[in-house]
Amino acid sequence: MVVNRPPMHRPTDGRSQQPLLKDDPSPRLDRSSFSHDTEHRPMLHHTRRPTIQSRNSEYDAAQATRKKYIIAAGFLLLSLASFVVQTETAVYIQHELHWDKPYCMLYITHGSWSLLWPFQLLILRIQKRKLSWAAFWRRHVYLVKTTAQMVQSQDVHLTSRDSHRSPVPYMIKTTAFVTTALTVAGGSWYLAVNLTTASDLTAIYNCSAFFAYAFSIPLLKDKLRLDKILSVCVAIIGVLIVAYGDRPSKVAKDGSAKTGVDEEAQNRLLGNIIIGIGSVLYGLYEVLYKRFACPPEGTSAGRGTIFANTFGSMIGCFTLCVLWIPIPILHMLGWETFRVPTGEAAWMLLISVLANATFSGSFLVLISLTSPVLSSVAALLTIFLVAIVDWIRTGQALSFSSIVGGVLIMAAFFLLSWSTYREMQEERRKQLENDQVESESDE
C-alpha cells in the first residue's frame, strides 16, 4: 500500500518561492553580468599582484646587477694594480738580473694559481670564525659542489638527477683543456718575445679582445651589438696607436745592413705569426672558461667569486702536476737550461709570482661576473698604467701617442662597461619574469 506522506515543515502558502533575504538592500551580482564586467575591468587582486611583483622583480634585478658590478669593479682595480707589479718585476728579472727562463717562469707563475683556493679559504674562515670548523667546512664543500653541478648543467635550478651526479669528472676534463689553451697562448708570448718587436708583440697579443668577442657569438650565444663592436674597435685602435705611434723608422744604408734588416724582417714575420696564434688562443681561452667553467647567469656574485678562485686553483694544480714535463726536455736539448734563481732574483721572482696569482684570480672573477669581452678590454688598461709607472720610475715622459691611445682605451672600456651593465640588467629582469610566470603557472 502506498502512503502519501505530506511534506515535512514545508509551508503551503506559497512562501517557499520567496527569497530568504527579501529585505537585503544589497542585491547579489549576477554571474553573467560579473563575467561581462571582468572582461573590461579585472578584479582588484588580479591587477595589483603582478604589478607589485614586477616592480619587485625590477628592483631585485637592479640591486643584484649593481652588487655584481661593485664586486667586479673591486676585482678590476686589484687586477690592474697586481698586473703592473707583475710586469715591472718580470722585466726587471729578465733584463736587469739576467734570469731569462721564459717557460720556467710561465710554469712557476701559472702554478702559483694553486694558492688561490687556500688563501680564499683563510679569508672565508676569518669571516665565519663563529662557526665550528666542521660546520664551516661542510658548508663550504656543499657550496663548491652545488656550484660545480650548476656549471655542469648550466642551470641555476638543479634537478634531482643533477644533484646526485658527481661534477668531478666534468671539472677535471674542463680544467685540462682550458689550461692547455691558456698555456699555449701564454707560451706563444714568451716564444715570440725574442723574434718580433715589443710594439708588434703588444698590439697583436692585445687583439685577443676582438677574438674573445668573435668566439663569444657562437659559444656564448652573444648578440651582435653595435656598441660592443664599436667599443672593441676603438680599444684596438688605441692599442695600435700606443704600439706604432712613435716607432722610429730604420733605413738600410749599405748591403750588409740591408741583409740584417731582411733577416730581422723574416724573424719578425715568424714572431708575428706566433703571437697572432697566441692572441686567437687567448681569446678562445677566455670564452671557453666563461662557457664551460663559470656558473650560469642568475648565480649570486659571492658564489661566483668563490668558484672562480676554486677553478683557478685547479688550473694551478694541473700546471704543477703535468706541465713540469717540458722543463727537463728543454734543459737536455739546450733550448732553456734550468737554473735556480738566487739572491735578489729569487725575491723579485717571488713578488712577481704572487702578483701574477693575484691578477689571475681577479681576472677569472671578473670574467665570471661580467663577460670575456669586457675583461679583455679592461686588461688593455694595463698598457696605459704600465706606461705611467715607467714614467714615474724612469723619468721618461709619456709620448703623445701613448696619451691618445690610453684615452681611447679608457673611453672604449667605459662604453663597453655601460653596454654590459645594461645587458646584464635586462637578462636578470627577463630571468626573474620567467621565474614569476613559472611560479604562477604552478599555482
Side-chain angles (χ1 to χ4, degrees):
M1 180 177 63
V2 180
V3 179
N4 293 326
R5 290 184 291 183
M8 186 170 53
H9 303 295
R10 176 176 295 180
T12 57
D13 56 355
R15 289 181 297 171
S16 62
Q17 304 300 323
Q18 296 180 0
L20 296 177
L21 302 176
K22 180 179 180 181
D23 299 328
D24 190 0
S26 58
R28 295 184 179 183
L29 295 176
D30 184 64
R31 287 183 179 269
S32 60
S33 63
F34 175 78
S35 61
H36 176 74
D37 292 337
T38 53
E39 293 179 359
H40 301 282
R41 188 176 60 186
M43 292 182 67
L44 184 61
H45 72 276
H46 282 288
T47 58
R48 286 183 178 176
R49 186 176 65 178
T51 304
I52 296 174
Q53 288 183 354
S54 61
R55 289 178 180 175
N56 290 335
S57 299
E58 292 178 2
Y59 178 78
D60 293 339
Q63 289 296 109
T65 306
R66 189 176 295 109
K67 179 181 178 182
K68 183 177 288 189
Y69 244 62
I70 291 174
I71 296 176
F75 278 101
L76 171 63
L77 296 176
L78 183 60
S79 66
L80 294 177
S82 58
F83 184 85
V84 172
V85 175
Q86 177 213 347
T87 303
E88 294 294 334
T89 52
V91 170
Y92 181 75
I93 291 170
Q94 295 189 33
H95 293 173
E96 302 295 333
L97 303 179
H98 305 290
W99 196 81
D100 188 11
K101 308 296 177 185
Y103 184 81
C104 188
M105 184 174 290
L106 176 69
Y107 172 77
I108 295 174
T109 52
H110 286 187
S112 66
W113 295 14
S114 58
L115 301 174
L116 293 173
W117 177 74
F119 184 72
Q120 173 185 255
L121 191 67
L122 176 62
I123 295 177
L124 294 175
R125 180 56 183 163
I126 294 175
Q127 293 177 347
K128 304 294 182 181
R129 56 185 177 274
K130 294 183 179 180
L131 291 177
S132 64
W133 171 255
F136 168 77
W137 177 253
R138 184 168 56 251
R139 177 182 177 183
H140 181 73
V141 171
Y142 175 79
L143 187 144
V144 173
K145 179 183 176 181
T146 53
T147 309
Q149 291 170 339
M150 293 177 185
V151 173
Q152 185 177 8
S153 62
Q154 284 299 304
D155 194 354
V156 178
H157 307 289
L158 295 175
T159 62
S160 58
R161 179 182 178 184
D162 295 333
S163 60
H164 288 86
R165 183 170 53 178
S166 174
V168 175
Y170 173 82
M171 296 310 302
I172 292 176
K173 292 186 294 184
T174 303
T175 303
F177 75 81
V178 170
T179 308
T180 302
L182 171 64
T183 304
V184 175
S188 67
W189 191 91
Y190 288 104
L191 184 62
V193 70
N194 293 324
L195 296 176
T196 185
T197 62
S199 58
D200 287 1
L201 190 71
T202 302
I204 297 175
Y205 193 72
N206 285 290
C207 286
S208 60
F210 171 77
F211 295 110
Y213 186 49
F215 285 120
S216 65
I217 295 174
L219 293 178
L220 301 179
K221 309 301 180 184
D222 204 351
K223 298 179 181 179
L224 277 173
R225 296 173 64 104
L226 182 60
D227 48 2
K228 280 190 174 183
I229 297 175
L230 179 62
S231 302
V232 173
C233 292
V234 170
I236 293 177
I237 290 173
V239 173
L240 294 177
I241 292 176
V242 172
Y244 298 108
D246 297 322
R247 188 181 63 178
S249 58
K250 295 182 180 179
V251 179
K253 295 183 179 180
D254 54 10
S256 59
K258 186 175 185 302
T259 303
V261 172
D262 290 340
E263 183 179 357
E264 182 182 356
Q266 291 178 357
N267 293 334
R268 183 177 176 182
L269 177 61
L270 177 61
N272 289 345
I273 293 175
I274 293 174
I275 197 60
I277 296 173
S279 178
V280 175
L281 289 177
Y282 197 80
L284 179 62
Y285 148 74
E286 293 176 327
V287 177
L288 288 177
Y289 166 70
K290 180 67 175 181
R291 171 63 180 85
F292 296 104
C294 287
E297 189 65 30
T299 308
S300 64
R303 183 185 285 263
T305 302
I306 292 174
F307 191 79
N309 286 319
T310 304
F311 187 79
S313 284
M314 295 174 64
I315 293 178
C317 292
F318 183 86
T319 301
L320 293 176
C321 296
V322 178
L323 298 180
W324 62 268
I325 299 175
I327 294 179
I329 298 175
L330 294 174
H331 179 77
M332 290 185 294
L333 294 176
W335 293 352
E336 182 180 313
T337 56
F338 179 76
R339 180 165 57 91
V340 178
T342 57
E344 186 180 3
W347 285 106
M348 296 302 295
L349 183 62
L350 178 62
I351 296 174
S352 180
V353 165
L354 294 178
N356 178 266
T358 305
F359 165 74
S360 302
S362 304
F363 193 69
L364 291 177
V365 172
L366 191 62
I367 296 177
S368 178
L369 296 182
T370 57
S371 68
V373 183
L374 179 62
S375 304
S376 298
V377 175
L380 300 182
L381 295 173
T382 57
I383 300 174
F384 191 47
L385 292 178
V386 169
I388 294 176
V389 172
D390 287 338
W391 175 29
I392 298 173
R393 188 172 61 88
T394 63
Q396 185 177 0
L398 292 175
S399 62
F400 178 74
S401 62
S402 298
I403 296 175
V404 174
V407 171
L408 289 177
I409 292 173
M410 287 189 293
F413 170 72
F414 287 118
L415 178 61
L416 187 60
S417 298
W418 176 246
S419 174
T420 306
Y421 178 81
R422 289 189 305 165
E423 189 176 7
M424 289 171 58
Q425 198 165 359
E426 291 173 2
E427 290 295 330
R428 174 79 67 166
R429 190 183 301 114
K430 288 180 181 178
Q431 183 177 4
L432 291 175
E433 290 176 356
N434 291 335
D435 293 341
Q436 177 185 346
V437 171
E438 291 178 0
S439 63
E440 289 181 353
S441 63
D442 295 336
E443 292 180 352

